[in-house]
């Protein structure tokens, strides 16, 4: 969905000359596609939306309405979920850093808690000592190898992942034994998120098999969920020219293992998936006005009211899918050009070496596929963050106003005198 110049000009009055657009119907359609693919093959299926990917409160609320659990990795995200009305037993609390208070709150509120490291066990035991009559349920994030014939599948080629409790060195068994010291603790879940570079289907079958094997060996009586984490591919823009698995491909592989390992019925564990990128990347676009076209020697630069931080916080060099929306269709000149941003960094390129119609001042450029890790990763650098407008059934809703000096330099935080 791309807005017309007329629509943009009207929005400019309220939003200024750059803003994000959230396509709410696209969110619903992504959710349905993922849910259908998995649930049609394995009924006891739960989506835990990965908050960190994009925790715009409006997005989180929409996920809650659609039926997703909230997958959070900090107290900040946990408290946000509560604030927008997510029921505490529909929050999955992951992440490597949790305070004793975080853990006690999650246990008190009946949230799903996956511990990542051994230090968390002491906090759980302290809680159990104080609450002897309460049955406490916890999950463990586990760490095992998922390499492909000895070759690392992890992002950046890491040899081992730093997350979770290691099975190979005995820490997993140690954790189970330590938790068993308390009669009122039950280990009911296993979690295995791995951030891989290729997001292959085979990786997900390896993760699922690994988790099922551990569950059957150690937790036959108690297992309630198998959580395979996130990291799957969503719909990828055709301009990226890569062939990626579909939701059905992932679901077929994962669910067939679950169905083989666990008999259907009340005791069949839930399968949890924690999608982030695949759920939201293609639901956002970024609109920015062209300020100037400049030529330096033979190179054209198009300056816009935006920055690489708004669309590619990792500053990768690949051009995102984009469109030019012209104010005046009569002017026409083609050239090779770069789109650059408002910061003072040399490397603030929003797009490199584009061949085509040269944008003119007052035109708009729309960058698509910017919903994942942008809103949450946009540093407060040089200029206020742009606002966000949602479109749902042709109606516009402002879901984040444009920042002003006042919010940027929050008067409760900064000292001015
Ligand atoms: C525990 C956990 N779950 C889910 C996700 C979401 O991953 P993605 O956005 O690649 O789907 C992440 C991302 O790092 C994660 O660490």
């Amino acid at each position: 969905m791309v807005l017309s110049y007329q629509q943009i000009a009207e929005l400019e009055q309220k939003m200024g000359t750059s803003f994000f657009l959230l396509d709410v119907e696209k969110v619903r359609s992504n959710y349905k596609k993922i849910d259908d693919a998995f649930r049609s093959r394995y009924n006891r299926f739960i989506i835990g939306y990965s908050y960190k990917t994009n925790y715009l409160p409006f997005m989180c609320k929409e996920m809650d309405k659609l039926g997703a659990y909230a997958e959070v990795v900090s107290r900040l995200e946990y408290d946000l979920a509560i604030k927008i009305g997510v029921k505490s037993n529909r929050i999955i609390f992951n992440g490597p850093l949790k305070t004793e208070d975080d853990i006690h709150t999650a246990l008190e509120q009946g949230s799903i808690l996956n511990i990542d490291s051994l230090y968390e066990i002491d906090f759980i035991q302290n809680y159990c000592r104080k609450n002897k009559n309460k049955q406490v349920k916890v999950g463990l994030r586990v760490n095992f190898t998922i390499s492909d014939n000895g070759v690392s599948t992890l992002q950046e080629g890491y040899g081992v992942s730093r997350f979770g409790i290691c099975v190979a060195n005995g820490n997993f068994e140690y954790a189970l034994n330590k938790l068993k010291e308390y009669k009122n603790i039950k280990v009911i879940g296993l979690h295995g998120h791995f951030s891989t570079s290729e997001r292959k289907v085979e990786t997900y079958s390896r993760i699922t098999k690994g988790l099922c094997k551990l569950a059957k060996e150690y937790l036959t009586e108690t297992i309630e969920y198998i959580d395979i984490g996130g990291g799957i591919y969503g719909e990828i823009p055709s301009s990226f020219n890569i062939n990626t698995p579909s939701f059905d491909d992932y679901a077929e592989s994962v669910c067939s293992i679950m169905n083989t390992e666990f008999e259907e019925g009340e005791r069949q564990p839930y399968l949890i998936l924690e999608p982030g990128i695949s759920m939201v990347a293609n639901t956002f676009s970024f609109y920015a006005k062209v300020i100037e076209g400049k030529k330096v020697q033979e190179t054209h630069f198009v300056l816009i009211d935006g920055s690489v931080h708004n669309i590619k916080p990792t500053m990768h060099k690949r051009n995102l899918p984009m469109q030019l929306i012209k104010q005046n269709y009569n002017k026409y000149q083609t050239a090779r050009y770069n789109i650059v941003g408002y910061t003072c960094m040399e490397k603030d390129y929003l797009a490199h070496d584009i061949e085509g119609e040269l944008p003119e001042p007052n035109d708009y450029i729309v960058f698509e596929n910017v919903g994942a890790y942008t809103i949450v990763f946009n540093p407060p650098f040089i200029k206020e963050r742009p606002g966000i407008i949602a479109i749902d059934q042709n109606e516009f809703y402002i879901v984040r106003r444009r920042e002003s000096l006042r919010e940027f330099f929050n008067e409760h935080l900064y000292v001015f005198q």
Side-chain angles (χ1 to χ4, degrees):
M1 108 95 34
V2 176
L3 304 178
S4 67
Y5 196 88
Q6 171 74 25
Q7 286 174 306
I8 297 170
E10 278 164 30
L11 290 177
E12 193 184 293
Q13 306 297 316
K14 297 183 214 142
M15 308 298 289
T17 49
S18 63
F19 56 88
F20 290 97
L21 180 73
L22 161 61
D23 182 347
V24 184
E25 284 173 84
K26 192 83 193 154
V27 175
R28 293 193 194 113
S29 128
N30 287 347
Y31 186 91
K32 185 166 173 3
K33 283 181 190 163
I34 298 175
D35 198 53
D36 285 353
F38 282 84
R39 193 177 301 284
S40 62
R41 293 170 168 95
Y42 193 85
N43 190 251
R44 288 166 78 82
F45 174 63
I46 291 170
I47 290 180
Y49 170 59
S50 161
Y51 266 36
K52 68 183 144 317
T53 314
N54 185 331
Y55 43 59
L56 177 73
F58 182 90
M59 175 73 89
C60 297
K61 188 75 204 167
E62 188 60 35
M63 286 295 158
D64 186 52
K65 283 192 215 154
L66 287 167
Y69 282 38
E71 189 267 327
V72 305
V73 290
S74 69
R75 183 63 178 270
L76 179 106
E77 292 183 355
Y78 187 94
D79 290 344
L80 171 65
I82 297 287
K83 189 177 167 87
I84 62 165
V86 177
K87 291 208 179 84
S88 56
N89 63 355
R90 294 171 68 89
I91 302 178
I92 305 167
F93 200 164
N94 292 330
L97 190 96
K98 304 181 195 86
T99 65
E100 180 148 13
D101 187 58
D102 295 345
I103 291 206
H104 289 200
T105 302
L107 295 176
E108 191 64 33
Q109 299 298 319
S111 304
I112 299 170
L113 174 69
N114 290 317
I115 62 174
D116 198 281
S117 301
L118 299 178
Y119 77 89
E120 297 172 62
I121 295 177
D122 290 338
F123 299 158
I124 294 170
Q125 290 188 332
N126 291 345
Y127 180 84
C128 289
R129 249 196 316 276
K130 284 192 212 139
N131 297 275
K132 289 207 172 62
N133 297 326
K134 189 164 175 171
Q135 176 70 68
V136 165
K137 294 178 168 187
V138 295
L140 299 186
R141 177 165 178 177
V142 287
N143 181 315
F144 49 79
T145 176
I146 53 155
S147 59
D148 195 352
N149 287 324
V151 178
S152 167
T153 50
L154 298 175
Q155 277 173 8
E156 314 287 338
Y158 287 119
V160 294
S161 162
R162 74 183 180 96
F163 297 108
I165 298 174
C166 179
V167 178
N169 66 6
N171 278 354
F172 174 68
E173 268 193 35
Y174 170 82
L176 288 179
N177 289 333
K178 204 154 178 240
L179 289 164
K180 264 194 216 144
E181 288 169 8
Y182 285 73
K183 293 236 157 19
N184 56 337
I185 303 181
K186 230 165 136 187
V187 178
I188 58 153
L190 292 178
H191 177 276
H193 171 86
F194 293 85
S195 298
T196 63
S197 39
E198 295 190 50
R199 303 169 189 264
K200 284 185 183 170
V201 170
E202 297 85 77
T203 302
Y204 286 87
S205 61
R206 236 174 260 145
I207 295 170
T208 315
K209 276 186 193 149
L211 294 174
C212 290
K213 185 164 171 277
L214 290 171
K216 289 175 86 172
E217 201 174 327
Y218 295 96
L219 305 173
T220 19
E221 296 305 315
T222 57
I223 189 75
E224 289 183 18
Y225 65 86
I226 296 284
D227 183 337
I228 60 170
I232 64 170
Y233 269 121
E235 288 169 353
I236 294 294
S238 54
S239 61
F240 285 4
N241 267 333
I242 44 172
N243 240 337
T244 56
S246 65
F247 296 139
D248 281 317
D249 294 335
Y250 289 114
E252 184 56 35
S253 157
V254 168
C255 298
S256 65
I257 297 166
M258 292 294 288
N259 282 316
T260 312
E261 296 291 343
F262 301 104
E263 257 175 55
E264 214 180 316
E266 276 291 286
R267 296 268 308 118
Q268 197 176 36
Y270 284 96
L271 168 67
I272 303 179
L273 179 74
E274 300 172 350
I277 291 183
S278 52
M279 187 70 91
V280 295
N282 63 359
T283 65
F284 267 66
S285 42
F286 178 63
Y287 285 70
K289 194 171 195 169
V290 175
I291 308 300
E292 172 182 54
K294 175 195 274 192
K295 207 169 173 197
V296 179
Q297 297 180 22
E298 292 312 308
T299 307
H300 287 280
F301 293 99
V302 174
L303 172 70
I304 63 170
D305 180 14
S307 156
V308 66
H309 292 130
N310 297 129
I311 62 163
K312 297 191 285 188
T314 56
M315 296 194 189
H316 63 77
K317 291 263 164 61
R318 199 161 43 194
N319 289 340
L320 293 175
M322 64 190 130
Q323 301 204 35
L324 172 62
I325 301 175
K326 292 189 72 69
Q327 182 191 33
N328 182 346
Y329 274 90
N330 300 327
K331 291 189 186 166
Y332 194 93
Q333 186 198 342
T334 58
R336 177 186 281 261
Y337 60 94
N338 302 294
I339 303 178
V340 291
Y342 61 74
T343 73
C344 307
M345 293 171 0
E346 264 310 345
K347 62 181 175 188
D348 191 358
Y349 279 64
L350 292 93
H352 293 261
D353 286 331
I354 302 159
E355 290 261 17
E357 197 171 341
L358 195 60
E360 300 276 341
N362 296 328
D363 290 349
Y364 264 82
I365 301 194
V366 187
F367 299 87
E368 292 170 300
N369 230 57
V370 299
Y373 303 104
T374 46
I375 304 303
V376 291
F377 237 133
N378 194 172
F381 185 49
I382 296 187
K383 205 169 171 292
E384 304 90 325
R385 292 177 306 169
I388 304 173
I389 190 141
I391 181 163
D392 190 8
Q393 293 166 7
N394 296 323
E395 294 280 337
F396 290 108
Y397 306 88
I398 296 176
V399 293
R400 184 177 84 184
R401 279 179 282 279
R402 204 181 165 79
E403 254 175 357
S404 67
L405 176 86
R406 222 171 154 175
E407 288 98 27
F408 193 100
F409 292 107
N410 185 327
E411 286 169 15
H412 297 295
L413 305 182
Y414 291 90
V415 175
F416 292 92
Q417 307 287 335

